[in-house]
């Protein structure tokens, strides 16, 4: 079992050391700005956890909380002002915003050099082109987990189920960049078990609890479950863990797998943005 909590703690400890080194070498304290619109309880918890992680890593943070009826224009104005603010290295707008706000318009207002979620078209384009930029946190966390598990990526058959801009597409580029042979499966894929069971690395980012079972897993494969689904039985991944674990060589649980990695990679990105801006 790949323990995401442990790997996340290791990454955050590493970042804390690197932040201290950066400051000792004359750099400024990195600062993350978070923006939250409305009163979704889960979003409040996510943002509070991000601030706690910043504090533990020696990263400064500022928080902007806006009422649920904030206009899209006011939100865009704030995000642009944070882009112009020299004290701010990273900007994170907690998604999803309330229904009357177009998330794409808000993302487009983020300064790409401070886009620590890696969601702007600039960073998506850099990643697709195999050039350095800020990489979305969850896909970057998946790569950290694979490396931690000792899974060889180069030359491996990697199958990603799901092709969202947030998870699936960035993973295609990241795995190609590491010289895997990459297949992207999705809702129109014919014979999903046949495609998945070729994979040395199988990644599920779908949003359907227990979609992938033992018949989708090649014996010995590494299985990474990005899915987080709230069910009557609690949080469930996209993989039927008990069934898949019988066949897989290594597998992430839900919760405690990919989930904790996202916040760790946010710390990595905030430090990277601060270093790049310092140059
Ligand atoms: P999206 O809904 O944006 O994308 C889902 C993808 O799955 C689509 O590409 C869709 O195909 C594909 N799909 C849907 N049903 C099937 C099916 N039956 N067979 C094959 N493919 C299917 O989801 P996200 O990428 O945003 O999220 C995926 C999961 O990951 C969710 O459970 C989410 O909660 C979780 N997540 C976890 C994070 C973490 O921190 N651990 C962060 C982000 C997401 P098509 O394109 O054809 O419609």
């Amino acid at each position: 079992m790949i323990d995401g909590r442990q790997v996340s703690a290791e990454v955050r400890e590493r970042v804390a050391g690197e932040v201290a080194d950066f400051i000792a070498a004359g750099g400024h304290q990195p600062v993350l700005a978070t923006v939250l619109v409305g009163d979704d309880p889960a979003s409040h918890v996510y943002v509070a956890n991000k601030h706690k992680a910043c504090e533990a890593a020696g990263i400064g943070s500022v928080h902007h909380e806006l009422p649920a009826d904030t206009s899209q224009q006011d939100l865009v104005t704030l995000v642009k002002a944070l882009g112009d603010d020299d004290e701010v290295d990273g900007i994170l707008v907690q998604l999803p915003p309330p229904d009357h706000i177009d998330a794409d318009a808000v993302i487009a207002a983020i300064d790409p050099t401070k886009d620590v979620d890696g969601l702007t078209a600039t960073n998506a384009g850099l990643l697709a082109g195999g050039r350095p930029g800020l990489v979305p946190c969850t896909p970057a966390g998946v790569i950290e987990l694979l490396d931690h598990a000792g899974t060889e990526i180069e030359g491996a058959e990697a199958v990603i189920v799901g092709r969202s801009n947030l998870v699936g597409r960035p993973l295609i580029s990241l795995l190609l960049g590491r010289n895997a042979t990459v297949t992207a499966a999705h809702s129109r894929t014919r014979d999903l078990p046949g495609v998945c069971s070729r994979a040395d690395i199988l990644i599920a980012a779908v949003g359907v609890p227990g979609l992938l079972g033992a018949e989708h897993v090649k014996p010995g494969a590494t299985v990474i479950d990005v899915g987080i689904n709230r069910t009557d039985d609690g949080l469930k991944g996209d993989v039927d863990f008990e069934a898949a674990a019988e066949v897989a060589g290594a597998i992430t649980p839900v919760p405690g797998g990919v989930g904790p990695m996202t916040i760790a990679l946010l710390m990595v990105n905030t430090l990277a943005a601060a270093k790049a801006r310092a140059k």
Side-chain angles (χ1 to χ4, degrees):
M1 191 163 87
I2 304 171
D3 184 348
R5 290 196 181 101
Q6 188 206 325
V7 184
S8 170
E10 284 172 20
V11 171
R12 283 183 285 148
E13 208 176 303
R14 188 180 80 210
V15 174
E18 289 174 7
V19 168
D21 291 347
F22 177 59
I23 294 172
H28 63 283
Q29 185 190 30
V31 171
L32 173 70
T34 57
V35 181
L36 175 58
V37 184
D39 32 43
D40 177 57
S43 292
H44 274 82
V45 172
Y46 294 147
V47 170
N49 286 339
K50 287 168 187 173
H51 284 267
K52 268 189 222 151
C54 281
E55 203 182 327
I59 291 173
S61 60
V62 288
H63 181 50
H64 295 265
E65 209 162 300
L66 304 176
D69 61 357
T70 299
S71 72
Q72 181 171 310
Q73 189 50 52
D74 284 353
L75 178 56
V76 164
T77 301
L78 170 63
V79 168
K80 285 189 172 160
L82 292 171
D84 292 337
D85 185 343
D86 214 30
E87 308 269 293
V88 169
D89 296 295
I91 302 170
L92 180 139
V93 181
Q94 186 64 43
L95 300 175
D99 287 346
H100 66 281
I101 293 176
D102 173 13
D104 288 342
V106 178
I107 290 167
I110 299 174
D111 178 339
T113 65
K114 301 186 180 185
D115 170 27
V116 285
D117 257 344
L119 295 178
T120 57
T122 301
N123 281 312
L126 289 170
L127 180 58
R131 291 159 61 197
L134 288 164
V135 174
C137 300
T138 302
V142 169
I143 301 294
E144 280 275 354
L145 287 177
L146 289 171
D147 285 338
H148 178 89
T151 299
E152 184 160 11
I153 300 177
E154 180 152 331
E157 287 271 354
V159 174
I160 306 154
V161 189
R163 53 176 167 177
S164 70
N165 288 338
L166 194 60
V167 188
R169 279 175 208 268
L171 270 171
I172 295 169
S173 300
L174 287 169
L175 289 163
L176 268 181
R178 293 283 298 268
N179 299 316
T181 300
V182 182
T183 301
H186 45 76
S187 67
R188 321 287 166 82
T189 297
R190 291 188 210 126
D191 187 17
L192 194 61
V195 171
C196 291
S197 59
R198 290 205 309 262
D200 304 307
I201 298 170
L202 177 61
I203 301 171
V206 185
V208 177
L211 177 74
L212 305 185
E215 71 278 23
H216 295 86
V217 180
K218 176 176 167 178
T222 299
V223 179
I224 307 283
D225 189 354
V226 183
I228 299 181
N229 308 292
R230 281 168 219 288
T231 73
D232 293 342
D233 296 331
L235 282 190
K236 294 279 171 204
D238 293 337
V239 177
D240 177 346
F241 181 86
E242 279 74 27
E246 293 286 325
V247 192
I251 183 166
T252 58
V254 177
V258 176
M261 296 305 294
T262 303
I263 213 159
L265 272 294
L266 178 64
M267 302 300 108
V268 170
N269 279 355
T270 304
L271 174 60
K275 284 183 171 173
R277 290 184 65 246
K279 280 187 190 155

